[in-house]
């Protein structure tokens, strides 16, 4: 069972706009069974759950382990899961985590909550991240070797580094002093960002 895939589903749900049914098509893919079966009620359920899932990442990334665990336990209770054996032929049996409800949202949210819970137990809540680029806000799972990831993507890391460089350059030209938050990132923070 690929628990990381379930945890990545939670990331995808949190980072999706979820304004319209078209956003669900973008999230799941045009030809997926989820798109074919999703309803407006699922969209509403995903919106509600997205806020709660985001709180798990915010708690974890700010060192509030107990709050992250409490929110995950509440999500596991709200979206109970049911393991199932699935397969496409007799040689491809594998486990799936499914929701006890029959809706697309209950199925995917149960898997997402379960995936994040397993991720927290295996890697710790410090591996839940919120992008350090203030213009972004996306969440991510930190898979770096030394838990140093600060951005959701290379694009955000580059954009932030360029902005910090330009701020330092402007300050040097004008002789102004920058606040520590304006100085930018240090060498340790320049580690390669893995997607």
């Amino acid at each position: 069972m690929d628990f990381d895939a379930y945890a990545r589903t939670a990331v995808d749900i949190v980072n999706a706009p979820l304004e319209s049914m078209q956003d669900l098509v973008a999230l799941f893919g045009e030809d997926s069974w989820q798109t074919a079966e999703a309803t407006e009620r699922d969209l509403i359920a995903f919106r509600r759950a997205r806020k709660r899932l985001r709180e798990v990442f915010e708690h974890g990334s700010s060192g509030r382990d107990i709050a992250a665990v409490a929110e995950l336990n509440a999500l596991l209770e709200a979206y109970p899961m049911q393991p199932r054996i699935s397969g496409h032929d007799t040689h491809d049996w594998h486990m799936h985590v499914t929701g006890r409800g029959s809706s697309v949202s209950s199925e995917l949210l149960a898997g997402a909550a379960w995936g994040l819970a397993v991720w927290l137990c295996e890697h710790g809540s410090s591996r839940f991240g919120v992008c350090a680029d203030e213009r972004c806000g996306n969440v991510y799972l930190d898979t770096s070797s030394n838990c140093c990831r600060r951005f959701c993507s290379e694009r955000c890391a580059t954009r932030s580094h360029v902005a910090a460089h330009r701020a330092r350059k402007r300050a040097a030209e004008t002789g102004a002093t920058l606040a520590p938050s304006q100085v930018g990132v240090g060498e340790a923070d320049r580690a390669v960002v893995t997607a």
Side-chain angles (χ1 to χ4, degrees):
M1 186 179 300
D2 185 3
F3 291 114
D4 289 354
Y6 288 109
R8 284 189 301 274
T9 297
V11 170
D12 293 342
I13 290 167
V14 173
N15 293 340
L18 301 178
E19 298 299 323
S20 68
M21 290 300 288
Q22 194 59 35
D23 292 331
L24 287 184
V25 172
L27 178 64
F28 304 133
E30 206 165 302
D31 298 327
S32 73
W33 68 268
Q34 295 101 328
T35 297
E37 295 182 20
T39 67
E40 287 286 337
R41 291 181 73 184
D42 290 309
L43 181 61
I44 292 166
F46 282 122
R47 281 183 194 148
R48 282 190 200 125
R50 175 177 60 186
K51 181 180 183 303
R52 295 179 70 189
L53 290 167
R54 174 175 284 285
E55 288 175 0
V56 171
F57 284 89
E58 289 173 353
H59 293 318
S61 67
S62 63
R64 296 178 301 202
D65 292 349
I66 294 172
V69 168
E71 188 60 45
L72 271 173
N73 280 334
L75 283 163
L76 288 168
E77 189 174 320
Y79 304 104
M81 63 73 112
Q82 180 173 323
R84 245 177 234 275
I85 298 173
S86 181
H88 307 291
D89 61 44
T90 58
H91 302 291
D92 186 31
W93 299 119
H94 54 279
M95 293 297 294
H96 272 282
V97 173
T98 62
R100 292 187 182 162
S102 60
S103 70
V104 170
S105 57
S106 66
E107 177 125 353
L108 289 175
L109 291 170
W114 182 255
L116 287 182
V118 170
W119 183 274
L120 183 139
C121 291
E122 287 185 5
H123 305 290
S125 71
S126 64
R127 294 291 184 151
F128 294 143
V130 178
C131 189
D133 185 342
E134 295 171 1
R135 294 163 286 189
C136 178
N138 281 346
V139 300
Y140 60 88
L141 298 168
D142 186 351
T143 57
S144 65
S145 60
N146 59 355
C147 197
C148 66
R149 186 171 170 183
R150 295 183 52 234
F151 300 96
C152 69
S153 66
E154 274 292 335
R155 180 175 173 235
C156 283
T158 300
R159 184 172 53 198
S160 184
H161 294 307
V162 168
H165 171 74
R166 288 180 180 157
R168 287 190 305 271
K169 187 175 177 181
R170 277 191 307 273
E173 289 171 354
T174 63
T177 305
L178 293 175
S181 64
Q182 295 173 306
V183 172
V185 293
E187 290 302 317
D189 294 329
R190 295 184 199 279
V192 174
V193 178
T194 57

